[in-house]
Amino acid sequence: MLVAFSVAPSGTGPKGGDNPEASVHDAVAAAVRIVRESGLPNRTDSMFTTIEGDWDECMDVIKRATEAVGEYGSRVALVLKADVRPGHTGEMTGKLERLEAALDAQA
């Protein structure tokens, strides 16, 4: 399965409150570190981090990343979208390769 997810702290915490310098980049970095250390195929862009693995692997990583972000605020917002396709692997790149081939065929 592929899971695209985003986590962000809110509420009060080390960088929360009325601090105008507050940003979520430190919290996101903590989450992305957990993702990268997991060994699962992953990709991070400006909006989401996508991981590939089975249910248990993906949900464990997402849970740990969410807990890490929780250190930066009193609440955590978690958004996720999953593409559950049993028996398929390599879809993080496979889906993009099929898209590019379709675009080339239409050109």
Side-chain angles (χ1 to χ4, degrees):
M1 75 186 295
L2 293 174
V3 183
F5 73 101
S6 172
V7 289
S10 63
T12 59
K15 301 238 183 235
D18 294 327
N19 180 359
E21 300 300 317
S23 179
V24 299
H25 64 266
D26 288 332
V28 172
V32 170
R33 180 175 310 285
I34 287 168
V35 168
R36 291 182 179 174
E37 290 174 353
S38 76
L40 294 179
N42 65 84
R43 180 174 293 131
T44 299
D45 62 36
S46 61
M47 296 292 293
F48 289 94
T49 294
T50 303
I51 57 177
E52 184 170 12
D54 67 27
W55 273 100
D56 293 336
E57 293 170 327
C58 290
M59 293 305 157
D60 174 63
V61 170
I62 292 167
K63 179 182 179 185
R64 290 187 291 119
T66 301
E67 289 169 346
V69 168
E71 297 295 318
Y72 292 83
S74 59
R75 309 174 82 149
V76 177
L78 169 65
V79 176
L80 64 90
K81 181 175 182 177
D83 180 2
V84 182
R85 199 166 181 200
H88 289 78
T89 58
E91 289 299 289
M92 188 173 297
T93 56
K95 289 178 83 168
L96 294 174
E97 290 165 356
R98 290 188 297 275
L99 170 63
E100 292 298 331
L103 288 168
D104 289 345
Q106 292 176 4

